[in-house]
Amino acid sequence: MSHKRIPKRKAAMAVGGVVALGAAAILLPNANASQDGASDGVTAAPKTLKAGDASDLATRLAGTLGDAWAGAWYDGEDKQLVVNVVRGENTMALKVRSAGAEVRWVDNSMAELEAGAGTLKSEATIPGTSWAVDPRTNKILVTADSTVTGDQWDQLESTVEDLGSGMATLKKSAGTFRTFASGGDAIFAGGARCSLGFNVTAGDGSPAFLTAGHCAAAGDEWSDQQGGQPVATVDQALFPGAGDFALVTYDDPATEAPSEVNVGGQTVPIVQAAEATVGQQVFRMGSTTGLADGQVLGLNATVNYPEGTVTGLIQTDVCAEPGDSGGSLFTQDGLAIGLTSGGSGDCTVGGETFFQPVTTALEAVGATLGDGGAGAGDQAGGQEQGTGQEAGDGQAGAEDQAGAGDQAGAGDQAGAGDQAGAGDQAGGQEAGAGQDGVGGQDMRDGTGTGSGRHSGQDSGLTRTH
């Protein structure tokens, strides 16, 4: 596609056009609103909640319970929030029940689990490892990929054992942890292909989008076609460190950036950003593998990639492959949850995939979803502060979206057809050829990382222009 400056042209590079039919059948149509359970009395049964509402309730209870809080998870079958309460904290358990959640007595407090994670960080930061608190087992889930062998495995195993019985579990992954750089709708720079995550509005009011921070190492200027004219420029990026996200601003200030995800000719409106909840069903869209679904397994995960350590991620069992980096993680009812970072395995054998929380990225770069809603950290829709941002009211209707047939062509497309469709993806190079700047494999399409230019500033974010 040649670069066109069409007034109010639709920049619907929201996410790719290949749909996994099984996931799509679950996803569409959207779920109905949650139902209230019994009254707020102490003896009332737990309320029936949507996952997003359960996340908000968990956030409130975490602030209320203090040291008695030991995490929470969402029971998708019963649609209830289960809250871990340290054994013996009867008064706090009453507060949980009166708020409409189920109480589960546990032995490990969140403070103890976080201290254990700190020990892993100081004694076992080994490339190819990860850890996250799993509230369903009340333990730290420690994972090692296939590269962790010999003395490194012994070191990791010894550190886990030293945490004490009942504090952590150690599992081996058959794959290799790496970033999934290569394609929601495909975007290209410097020979690399990544995915657009969510359209947003930058702090200065200009249209922009979020993607993975490690993608920004491939270049500052991004196109919606391989070898095409640039349509967007990296503004801020972070990787590795306390996140994996980038803000990329559209070069045409008249670009419309709808708050929606294209799942192959149909769109899911994105209504706000929200925190993930363990047990929550989520959907991922990427230009390599299309639509996939799974569950959230852990929060605040630490992943030791070959390029460096990234903290604060969401761990899931959703599959992904090279090319899916930066793509959208969202829910059936339109909550923006995360941006694809990396992991192990593929969509044939499965594996672990990690995501950058959208709420953290929005706050860090000062952006909002859509064309201007509540600011980062503002209350959204009556929910607790810090749990999400309201989407802008300028979402484009589904009728403005390019149909699946429009996406498949490789020729120039105006308006909504400016998306990189499924047919465009065929021209993208496959990942796996490049090596990163610190000696580990980088899954960008033949492009080495340049993460050094994303460090050295007090905020941890790098402005590229």
Side-chain angles (χ1 to χ4, degrees), residues 69-259:
W69 168 263
W73 55 282
Y74 183 64
D75 183 340
E77 183 175 347
D78 293 332
K79 299 189 183 307
Q80 294 172 351
L81 178 68
V82 182
V83 176
N84 293 338
V85 179
V86 175
R87 202 174 301 279
E89 295 280 358
N90 297 325
T91 301
M92 294 304 177
L94 292 177
K95 292 184 178 182
V96 170
R97 293 193 180 101
S98 66
E102 177 73 22
V103 171
R104 177 170 174 259
W105 297 107
V106 296
D107 294 320
N108 298 321
S109 70
M110 185 57 68
E112 290 171 329
L113 293 170
E114 290 176 347
T119 299
L120 288 164
K121 178 180 179 181
S122 63
E123 298 183 15
T125 297
I126 300 166
T129 61
S130 72
W131 49 83
V133 173
D134 180 3
R136 287 179 289 191
T137 62
N138 190 228
K139 296 180 181 180
I140 305 168
L141 174 60
V142 184
T143 306
D145 74 11
S146 59
T147 67
V148 181
T149 59
D151 291 343
Q152 288 185 327
W153 171 260
D154 292 342
Q155 178 184 350
L156 182 63
E157 190 174 41
S158 174
T159 303
V160 169
E161 290 176 354
D162 288 346
L163 294 177
S165 175
M167 281 294 294
T169 57
L170 176 59
K171 61 172 286 190
K172 190 80 170 179
S173 173
T176 301
F177 289 159
R178 78 277 200 198
T179 52
F180 285 135
S182 206
D185 278 352
I187 52 176
F188 303 89
R193 188 182 77 193
C194 278
S195 298
L196 189 152
F198 297 98
N199 283 320
V200 299
T201 299
D204 62 0
S206 60
F209 63 83
L210 294 176
T211 189
H214 66 262
C215 293
D220 290 341
E221 296 182 330
W222 286 81
S223 172
D224 53 4
Q225 278 203 21
Q226 186 179 25
Q229 291 295 313
V231 298
T233 303
V234 175
D235 181 74
Q236 301 177 59
L238 178 64
F239 176 85
D244 183 5
F245 55 87
L247 176 71
V248 187
T249 56
Y250 288 106
D251 296 337
D252 184 350
T255 295
E256 292 184 13
S259 188

Side-chain angles (χ1 to χ4, degrees), residues 293-312:
D293 70 302
Q295 283 193 358
V296 175
L297 302 180
L299 305 178
N300 197 27
T302 295
V303 185
N304 297 299
Y305 292 123
E307 299 94 333
T309 299
V310 181
T311 60

